[in-house]
Amino acid sequence: MSRRFSMPSKRMADPRLALGEVLKAVDPREKAALALKLANEGVTGIPDSPLPDWPRPVRRDEPPLRPPNEMPKRGLGSLAGRQALMHAIAHIELNAIDLAADMAGRFAHVIPLPERDSFVADWLSVMSDEARHFLMVADRLEQMDTRYGALPAHEGLFDAAARTSFDIKARLAIAPLVLEARGLDVTPGMIERLRRAGDDSSAEVLTVIYTEEIGHVATGIRWFRHCCSGDEQSPAEIFKSLVEQHFPGGLKRPFNDEAREEAGFERQWYEALAKS
């Protein structure tokens, strides 16, 4: 289901302000539309200085937010269970739009020229993918006689990233290389369970998301390596230290080693961080 929203057409003085508009958009579909438009136009010329008062994403009153451990558990054999799964995916993808916009707007100034525009272009591409993913899942929810916002959700994804707002390496370690990489581990099982339940339409949506998320993890690992170049420790050692500091619960098995390897994420980086 497509919807039209009015979007600012005048480019702002500091190009990062356009990314800030994505973060400040309240309506989820408008946020996705803004993200797609901005990714198509591109953002260049970000200066060396940080932008003060960088915005935190704005949320409306729905969906109601709960702690992760209070989210209801439902099997996929029922429509209600499949609605709950797809609603959770929609919420993740909405947060991922903001994470990509925030990555480009918050941290681009620390990337030296001439690589800065490439950094921004990569995260705009990720932002565009996440916007498409959100709209795909939101449309699927409406086909399932519900809508995004109708069920509870949790804000664990952006809360974890917010704790790394001061350090680009910490953000890269936690957002794409812990949280998005976890999606590579669990999504194939979701797809299989949806197909067993006869919900091929939802399974196809998740298949698209899964395939493109491999590229997002690859973007994260590439820029993490870039930011670690010149450090005395290896990128793998720095990653381990940052995860222990900012994600102390450890990583959950099982890992999808094949998809992680396709993204360039070597097993030695994460195996030592796994829960026993």
Side-chain angles (χ1 to χ4, degrees):
M1 181 180 297
S2 61
R3 301 178 184 180
R4 294 186 178 275
F5 295 93
S6 60
M7 291 175 282
S9 58
K10 187 177 180 180
R11 185 54 60 91
M12 301 171 186
D14 189 312
R16 288 170 294 190
L17 295 176
L19 287 159
E21 290 301 309
V22 175
L23 297 175
K24 292 187 290 185
V26 176
D27 184 275
R29 286 184 177 270
E30 183 174 5
K31 182 185 294 289
L34 280 167
L36 290 168
K37 182 175 185 291
L38 186 58
N40 184 59
E41 292 177 347
V43 174
T44 58
I46 289 180
D48 293 332
S49 58
L51 187 65
D53 302 322
W54 185 246
R56 181 180 173 91
V58 176
R59 294 286 183 263
R60 59 182 183 181
D61 292 337
E62 57 177 21
L65 299 179
R66 298 180 183 174
N69 60 359
E70 293 184 10
M71 294 296 294
K73 307 293 184 184
R74 296 188 177 116
L76 299 187
S78 68
L79 175 60
R82 296 192 295 275
Q83 288 172 333
L85 172 65
M86 297 305 285
H87 190 277
I89 298 295
H91 190 68
I92 289 169
E93 298 302 326
L94 185 71
N95 276 273
I97 297 171
D98 285 328
L99 282 171
D102 190 71
M103 183 79 80
R106 183 183 299 275
F107 294 114
H109 72 279
V110 308
I111 302 293
L113 295 170
E115 292 90 357
R116 186 176 303 158
D117 284 346
S118 295
F119 176 85
V120 174
D122 278 352
W123 292 105
L124 286 179
S125 177
V126 171
M127 182 180 71
S128 176
D129 287 347
E130 307 294 14
R132 287 190 297 100
H133 295 171
F134 172 77
L135 292 172
M136 289 167 59
V137 183
D139 288 348
R140 178 62 191 142
L141 283 170
E142 293 182 3
Q143 294 167 2
M144 300 167 78
D145 297 323
T146 187
R147 59 178 177 80
Y148 175 67
L151 299 173
H154 70 80
E155 202 76 329
L157 180 64
F158 205 89
D159 284 347
R163 294 195 296 271
T164 60
S165 60
F166 61 93
D167 180 4
I168 186 173
K169 285 186 281 191
R171 171 64 66 82
L172 286 165
I174 300 305
L177 302 185
V178 170
L179 300 174
E180 285 203 79
R182 180 61 181 161
L184 301 185
D185 302 332
V186 301
T187 304
M190 295 178 187
I191 293 169
E192 182 180 350
R193 290 164 62 204
L194 285 167
R195 292 201 186 281
R196 286 202 304 263
D199 191 347
D200 289 338
S201 296
S202 296
E204 289 300 324
V205 170
L206 292 196
T207 299
V208 172
I209 292 173
Y210 170 73
T211 301
E212 294 184 351
E213 293 292 346
I214 294 173
H216 299 174
V217 176
T219 298
I221 197 78
R222 182 170 64 253
W223 284 107
F224 187 84
R225 288 183 180 276
H226 178 83
C227 290
C228 293
S229 61
D231 290 352
E232 290 185 5
Q233 289 183 298
S234 71
E237 290 171 330
I238 295 170
F239 173 73
K240 183 174 184 293
S241 176
L242 289 169
V243 173
E244 288 173 339
Q245 181 180 354
H246 299 291
F247 206 81
L251 308 184
K252 293 182 180 179
R253 286 192 172 99
F255 299 120
N256 185 342
D257 294 321
E258 182 178 355
R260 287 169 175 252
E261 183 177 357
E262 185 177 344
F265 199 6
E266 299 170 6
R267 189 179 302 182
Q268 65 178 10
W269 285 51
Y270 55 83
E271 273 289 350
L273 293 161
K275 293 181 179 178
S276 58

